[in-house]
Amino acid sequence: MAKGKNTAFFCQNCGYESAKWMGQCPGCREWNTLVEEQVVTGAAGGGGRGKHMAVMREKSQVAVLSQVSLKQEDRITTGIGELDRVLGGGIVDGSLTLVGGDPGIGKSTLLLQVCRNLASDGREVLYVSGEESLKQIKIRANRIGEFNDHLKLLCETSLESIAETIKGNGPKIVIIDSIQTMYREEISSAPGSVSQVREATSVLLQLAKGLNVSIFIVGHVTKEGTVAGPRVLEHMVDTVLYFEGDRHASYRILRGVKNRFGSTNEIGVFEMRAEGLCEVANPSEFMLSGRPKDANGSVVVCSMEGTRPILVEIQALVCQSNFGIPRRQTTGTDFNRVNLLMAVLEKRLGLQLGGCDAYVNVAGGIRIQEPAIDLGIVLAVSSSFRNRPVDGAVTAMGEVGLSGEVRAVSMVPARVQEAKKLGFTTCIIPCVCVESVKGITGIKIIGVKNVGEAVDFI
């Protein structure tokens, strides 16, 4: 078939394809995001892809589901416990993992540390960089530690060359840094465009599945915090990991938003140091470091991130507004949820919050959406409004309904045990959960039915 080139319009936000230009994208409803790009049809468009598909067809065989065995060696441990937790126990052979995050957050540093650990175990690792030279990678590697000869470096942006190198060298792990710099010669659009990113991910996916190679790809993020490029990019990969946190602060949080091989509720906590990213073994103690004593508007709550209980501090500042419309601002939690809880305080407890500015912050830089922190937000806002501090040895947890009732939350015993381990003497929980923690001693349990009882206790 003869080679032919056509043009199409692609949305740079969601990847929607259209034959003509439109002001608003029908897929994501964003304006002025459709950009004209050339697409390749015919032999040129399918030759390279068919070659990679042939590799996968040779190795694919029909299997009986009942005879498929899952063994521990099917996962490769990275030597970094926090990363293994988020991945679900380690790296799965033939998996494709996308790592996203703000510039300078530590994506390349973490993956280089993974390469060092895997190479020290004797596994062949290939690090492909399209953004840095060999000397730049070496400078960063010197801060991390010593590397052996099992780690190979390649500075290349051509997909054809990268694919030939992977098939020729046979590495077990491949790092692509970053996907936005990769390009395929048959596609005339610039690297980082929708066509190039989609095609590059497709080629890497077929290489990972066909050659049973685990591939990590680094993705740039947009100003909204999502991976740049079409949304189909996240659908194609097996795992999506996001680095969260302030690049100027020392803490980093690794969160899994998609994982075909494990839970998406787990998080990993790291601290950036001169020698690289170090694991935080006790995130609760880390999040509560520097907590003020006898300060109003400060309450400690216990949130569950997967199977891990984490104690965090909820801070609230309530003051009279100087404007007709009071200002409300939240950091680390849902803005609309805070407004709802303040409305409950006004209606059920008679607190006159309608003319007050309110600022709610989750200290430590972590973002929590779990409803179990509702009771902590209510107590923090009430404490700041009444200018009465909450005892520093008290922690609270519970979901608050519109009637002011305190509802049950999951995994209460694990939360209470975490609070006890860090020295808290009193725990306020929903009344219906008291039975589940009767066997726990050494900490006082207070069961409350509504927000009124909780506020009266503190």
Side-chain angles (χ1 to χ4, degrees):
M1 182 181 292
K3 178 176 69 176
K5 290 187 177 181
N6 297 324
T7 60
F9 292 87
F10 294 92
C11 174
Q12 301 299 304
N13 185 53
C14 68
Y16 181 86
E17 181 178 352
S18 174
K20 62 180 181 179
W21 184 86
M22 291 180 287
Q24 186 184 38
C25 172
C28 61
R29 301 297 179 182
E30 293 290 333
W31 290 90
N32 299 322
T33 57
L34 290 177
V35 176
E36 185 178 15
E37 297 180 8
Q38 287 188 341
V39 294
V40 181
T41 59
R49 182 179 302 180
K51 183 168 56 178
H52 296 304
M53 288 297 291
V55 176
M56 188 164 60
R57 282 196 297 267
E58 292 174 2
K59 298 202 171 202
S60 298
Q61 296 180 356
V62 176
V64 180
L65 180 61
S66 59
Q67 298 178 0
V68 177
S69 62
L70 295 177
K71 300 180 181 179
Q72 186 66 29
E73 56 266 25
D74 291 337
R75 290 185 183 267
I76 304 171
T77 58
T78 63
I80 303 177
E82 294 294 299
L83 177 59
D84 289 337
R85 171 191 288 269
V86 179
L87 289 174
I91 303 172
V92 177
D93 290 338
S95 61
L96 184 62
T97 302
L98 173 64
V99 182
D102 295 331
I105 200 70
K107 304 183 296 296
S108 300
T109 300
L110 177 65
L111 292 178
L112 199 58
Q113 289 179 231
V114 172
C115 293
R116 177 177 178 268
N117 295 339
L118 295 176
S120 63
D121 292 338
R123 294 184 173 89
E124 295 296 327
V125 182
L126 177 63
Y127 190 100
V128 182
S129 176
E131 300 178 341
E132 297 177 304
S133 65
L134 294 176
K135 292 184 178 180
Q136 288 175 315
I137 300 175
K138 179 64 175 178
I139 292 173
R140 184 153 45 86
N142 287 337
R143 296 189 294 109
I144 297 175
E146 295 293 332
F147 289 77
N148 59 24
D149 294 338
H150 289 286
L151 174 61
K152 307 295 192 304
L153 300 180
L154 175 65
C155 294
E156 183 60 73
T157 56
S158 172
L159 274 174
E160 287 78 4
S161 300
I162 294 172
E164 291 299 325
T165 303
I166 293 175
K167 290 188 288 185
N169 289 269
K172 191 65 176 176
I173 307 293
V174 177
I175 310 295
I176 305 294
D177 188 7
S178 66
I179 191 65
Q180 277 79 15
T181 61
M182 302 296 137
Y183 75 94
R184 192 174 181 187
E185 295 178 356
E186 287 87 352
I187 301 178
S188 59
S189 56
S193 63
V194 171
S195 300
Q196 291 284 10
V197 170
R198 183 166 52 192
E199 185 67 18
T201 307
S202 176
V203 171
L204 293 173
L205 176 64
Q206 292 160 22
L207 285 172
K209 305 303 181 184
L211 302 176
N212 202 30
V213 178
S214 301
I215 300 179
F216 286 80
I217 57 178
V218 177
H220 296 165
V221 295
T222 63
K223 60 182 180 180
E224 290 82 13
T226 59
V227 175
R231 294 293 296 180
V232 70
L233 175 63
E234 296 188 9
H235 296 298
M236 294 170 67
V237 301
D238 298 312
T239 307
V240 181
L241 307 180
Y242 274 104
F243 252 127
E244 302 174 359
D246 187 356
R247 58 175 296 190
H248 302 292
S250 61
Y251 55 82
R252 303 287 190 271
I253 296 172
L254 183 66
R255 187 184 302 272
V257 297
K258 174 187 176 181
N259 192 352
R260 289 174 178 164
F261 313 114
S263 172
T264 57
N265 296 322
E266 302 288 353
I267 67 168
V269 183
F270 299 88
E271 182 180 4
M272 178 62 79
R273 299 178 182 173
E275 63 273 14
L277 287 166
C278 299
E279 301 176 63
V280 177
N282 192 342
S284 297
E285 185 177 359
F286 178 73
M287 295 295 176
L288 297 179
S289 60
R291 184 165 62 101
K293 295 182 180 180
D294 299 328
N296 60 70
S298 173
V299 176
V300 175
V301 300
C302 187
S303 174
M304 293 297 298
E305 294 290 346
T307 58
R308 166 186 283 174
I310 297 181
L311 293 175
V312 294
E313 179 190 1
I314 303 291
Q315 297 176 332
L317 177 62
V318 180
C319 55
Q320 290 296 323
S321 177
N322 295 323
F323 304 96
I325 300 177
R327 184 178 182 183
R328 306 286 169 81
Q329 183 174 332
T330 63
T331 303
T333 188
D334 184 51
F335 172 79
N336 295 322
R337 188 68 180 175
V338 172
N339 283 335
L340 183 148
L341 295 174
M342 293 184 66
V344 171
L345 285 176
E346 286 192 76
K347 180 68 174 180
R348 306 303 175 189
L349 299 185
L351 301 185
Q352 301 300 319
L353 300 172
C356 297
D357 295 334
Y359 307 89
V360 176
N361 174 48
V362 179
I366 191 172
R367 182 166 184 83
I368 301 178
Q369 301 287 350
E370 191 190 17
I373 68 171
D374 287 356
L375 187 57
I377 296 175
V378 166
L379 296 179
V381 171
S382 175
S383 171
S384 179
F385 178 77
R386 295 180 172 180
N387 201 26
R388 296 177 183 175
V390 179
D391 187 357
V394 174
T395 182
M397 63 195 76
E399 180 182 357
V400 177
L402 293 181
S403 299
E405 77 279 9
V406 179
R407 295 177 174 267
V409 295
S410 62
M411 304 179 71
V412 173
R415 300 173 195 257
V416 175
Q417 289 285 8
E418 181 73 8
K420 176 185 174 182
K421 185 175 68 173
L422 290 183
F424 288 87
T425 60
T426 305
C427 188
I428 303 176
I429 65 174
C431 190
V432 296
C433 297
V434 173
E435 285 290 331
S436 63
V437 295
K438 274 191 173 181
I440 302 177
T441 60
I443 185 171
K444 185 179 180 180
I445 305 297
I446 304 297
V448 294
K449 295 181 179 179
N450 52 61
V451 294
E453 294 181 6
V455 172
D456 291 341
F457 174 78
I458 65 171

